[in-house]
Amino acid sequence: MNILVLSGGSGNDALIKGIKKIYPESAVRVLVNAYDNGKSTGVCRQITNTLGVSDIRKNHSRMYMGTNPVPNACYVEFYEGRYNLTKCHELEEVKAKLRDWDMQDLEVYADLFFEHESTKDYDFKDFSISNIIYSAMYEQHGYVETNLYFTNLLGIDDFVILNSFDNVFISAVTRDGKLIDDEGKIVEYADSSDPICGICYSNLPDKSMGINPQAIDTINSADLIVISTGTFWASIYPTLQYQDLYKHINAAKCKKIWAINNEEDKDAYGVSSNDMIAHFSQLGLNLQDFTILMNADANEILREPNDVLNTILVPMGNTRGKHDGERYAKTILRIYFGITDQDKFQKFVFDFDDTLWARGANDSRSELILTACSRENIELLNKLGDKGVIISGNSYPSIAKKLSTIYGSDLSNFTVDIWADANAFLYRGCKRIREIPRLM
């Protein structure tokens, strides 16, 4: 299953971790813009004349830490640490940190970065060293090669896709016509009396590179597109608006879901869910094709009723403004598979092998290999009780042998009916209790 997440940066964190835990075989791609211009990212953009690194870098870091139970602490420091570098000694201090992290191969990019005369114009306080290295590599090798280098280093998929390679800057326009000419100021705006109502662009190239072709290909091949939570005006809206990328979303034939934030971001302070719906509709995004997902635990302003569009209200937790990752991911997948109201189904029917019992990497050696995915699938099924049914062409002994690795040999705590032996016999609690009558 190919899942494309349009993300506002941190907004995809809980969702991707949840999907990877529940459905590890899925191929998840994240589509972002790189218009961030705040703090150290903004300085790096000015010095190297490249797009902003922060959302890409953060996605790499989150995926690495989300898929590695024991992450390399040096990599975590490289990605997450912020440092006050001493004036006129910045280069030597950056190179010293890279050696501490056993990342001395990257020292050449520190050299390239500080070769720029303009670095003398800045104080490198509260600064990300990883931003320095990424931006120097972007300037030297381009975005695709740089991102591939770091995903290979971290052992993760090359899953982050830019909407465009055009090195533009965004500004916002408020309802009263005020121009906010810096992305960093947009993120911190927080004025409900004169809310932002549009985005415009500067530093437009004479010849635009247009939408990244990989973004179009990924949209067209997606089984599910999710507009995830995130900063509305600084991240999500520009990704859809620039070069009319939203038109490719409209044309896609897959399932589409838009998940609305739990809390008001500063760029959209006082802006309701219906206000956001109006902004997307005015842009041209066809919301009739979307299921709009609202969190019952969210701020009231972000879960307003809407009788026109297909909206679903589901409790998904709210911890420091974030959804509970697993509940969020399960809700997304339930919508995709059309299971929105569990109580209306009398039975849930499942095949066994490769559906409930996922095949592990070493399954060829032993049919008893128990993957984390298999355990979770079986335990979730068992919670359905008499609503759950297994129908399998396998023999009952082969199924029972696998289930015994979780519930013991007598399966006394496994409550689900099993039709096995080429679907001919019904087993319950290790006993064969019924046979399908044969037609003469």
Side-chain angles (χ1 to χ4, degrees):
M1 178 177 173
N2 296 320
I3 303 173
L4 176 62
V5 179
L6 278 78
S7 164
S10 62
N12 72 336
D13 189 21
L15 176 59
I16 290 178
K17 287 180 181 177
I19 289 175
K20 280 299 185 182
K21 180 177 180 182
I22 298 167
Y23 195 173
E25 298 85 1
S26 60
V28 182
R29 297 290 179 265
V30 176
L31 180 60
V32 301
N33 70 64
Y35 305 142
D36 187 356
N37 195 38
K39 299 181 180 178
S40 64
T41 299
V43 172
C44 290
R45 290 194 74 179
Q46 294 295 331
I47 290 171
T48 60
N49 192 31
T50 56
L51 283 163
V53 308
S54 64
D55 276 354
I56 300 165
R57 171 184 60 80
K58 289 174 184 176
N59 272 296
H60 287 168
S61 174
R62 291 182 185 116
M63 180 62 84
Y64 171 66
M65 288 189 282
T67 55
N68 283 271
V70 186
N72 183 324
C74 290
Y75 289 169
V76 174
E77 285 184 25
F78 171 72
Y79 276 99
E80 303 297 320
R82 303 189 74 86
Y83 302 91
N84 294 320
L85 303 177
T86 307
K87 192 73 173 177
C88 300
H89 296 279
E90 296 94 343
L91 176 58
E92 59 191 86
E93 291 178 359
V94 169
K95 293 172 82 167
K97 291 302 295 183
L98 291 172
R99 287 191 291 272
D100 288 344
W101 297 327
D102 195 25
M103 302 175 78
Q104 50 267 34
D105 289 350
L106 299 175
E107 289 184 45
V108 61
Y109 299 105
D111 288 326
L112 289 169
F113 184 87
F114 286 101
E115 282 177 4
H116 289 278
E117 283 294 321
S118 58
T119 57
K120 297 180 174 62
D121 299 333
Y122 297 96
D123 289 322
F124 291 81
K125 303 298 183 185
D126 188 31
F127 219 87
S128 166
I129 290 175
S130 54
N131 280 357
I132 291 173
I133 303 303
Y134 265 77
S135 60
M137 291 182 73
Y138 283 161
E139 183 184 31
Q140 188 74 11
H141 301 298
Y143 305 102
V144 174
E145 188 174 335
T146 299
N147 294 340
L148 185 60
Y149 172 88
F150 282 108
T151 54
N152 286 337
L153 176 72
L154 299 173
I156 59 176
D157 289 339
D158 185 17
F159 71 104
V160 183
I161 302 167
L162 285 176
N163 66 324
S164 173
F165 298 121
D166 290 346
N167 183 24
V168 300
F169 292 81
I170 64 170
S171 301
V173 180
T174 69
R175 184 181 58 199
D176 294 343
K178 181 167 64 178
L179 184 69
I180 307 167
D181 60 357
D182 182 274
E183 188 272 348
K185 294 177 183 177
I186 295 171
V187 173
E188 297 295 328
Y189 182 59
D191 185 355
S192 60
S193 66
D194 184 20
I196 293 170
C197 62
I199 293 293
C200 54
Y201 303 85
S202 60
N203 199 45
L204 289 164
D206 293 335
K207 187 175 181 180
S208 170
M209 299 176 71
I211 300 172
N212 177 5
Q214 186 185 7
I216 297 173
D217 290 344
T218 307
I219 290 169
N220 291 338
S221 62
D223 299 303
L224 170 64
I225 294 175
V226 180
I227 300 177
S228 189
T229 57
T231 312
F232 186 81
W233 289 112
S235 296
I236 297 172
Y237 191 93
T239 300
L240 291 165
Q241 181 192 41
Y242 190 72
Q243 297 292 333
D244 293 341
L245 183 140
Y246 72 88
K247 292 181 179 178
H248 295 277
I249 302 290
N250 287 347
K253 302 303 182 185
C254 62
K255 188 84 173 181
K256 302 166 193 175
I257 300 170
W258 171 25
I260 295 179
N261 289 9
N262 279 354
E263 304 291 339
E264 301 161 88
D265 284 325
K266 292 179 181 179
D267 72 319
Y269 189 66
V271 178
S272 70
S273 54
N274 280 329
D275 292 332
M276 292 180 186
I277 287 170
H279 286 305
F280 271 161
S281 296
Q282 187 175 10
L283 173 66
L285 185 67
N286 183 8
L287 292 177
Q288 297 292 338
D289 286 348
F290 278 79
T291 298
I292 301 175
L293 176 59
M294 301 179 186
N295 187 355
D297 302 317
N299 189 318
E300 187 174 354
I301 195 174
L302 294 173
R303 48 184 173 88
E304 291 183 334
N306 187 296
D307 297 329
V308 176
L309 297 169
N310 179 24
T311 61
I312 294 179
L313 186 66
V314 180
M316 293 180 289
N318 187 350
T319 304
R320 296 189 296 276
K322 291 188 176 183
H323 297 73
D324 176 279
E326 193 167 335
R327 291 162 71 184
Y328 181 20
K330 284 179 180 177
T331 302
I332 292 287
L333 292 173
R334 284 170 62 85
I335 292 172
Y336 174 79
F337 288 110
I339 305 172
T340 56
D341 183 0
Q342 179 172 313
D343 292 335
K344 73 181 181 182
F345 295 97
Q346 293 181 335
K347 296 288 183 182
F348 291 82
V349 179
F350 299 90
D351 187 20
F352 193 78
D353 278 341
D354 296 328
T355 302
L356 297 171
W357 194 272
R359 199 172 290 278
N362 298 316
D363 235 5
S364 58
R365 294 208 309 257
S366 170
E367 66 174 7
L368 292 181
I369 285 185
L370 174 62
T371 67
C373 182
S374 298
R375 175 179 286 276
E376 185 170 14
N377 287 344
I378 298 298
E379 290 177 346
L380 285 171
L381 173 64
N382 197 37
K383 289 178 183 179
L384 292 173
D386 60 5
K387 277 196 168 189
V389 181
I390 294 171
I391 298 180
S392 175
N394 291 353
S395 69
Y396 177 77
S398 72
I399 295 174
K401 194 173 183 182
K402 292 178 179 178
L403 292 175
S404 68
T405 63
I406 302 175
Y407 293 103
S409 59
D410 64 358
L411 301 185
S412 58
N413 293 319
F414 187 70
T415 60
V416 174
D417 286 350
I418 302 171
W419 284 94
D421 305 333
N423 313 330
F425 297 101
L426 172 62
Y427 294 84
R428 187 179 299 155
C430 286
K431 296 180 180 179
R432 193 173 85 182
I433 62 172
R434 186 177 169 192
E435 179 180 357
I436 294 178
R438 300 195 179 278
L439 299 176
M440 300 300 293

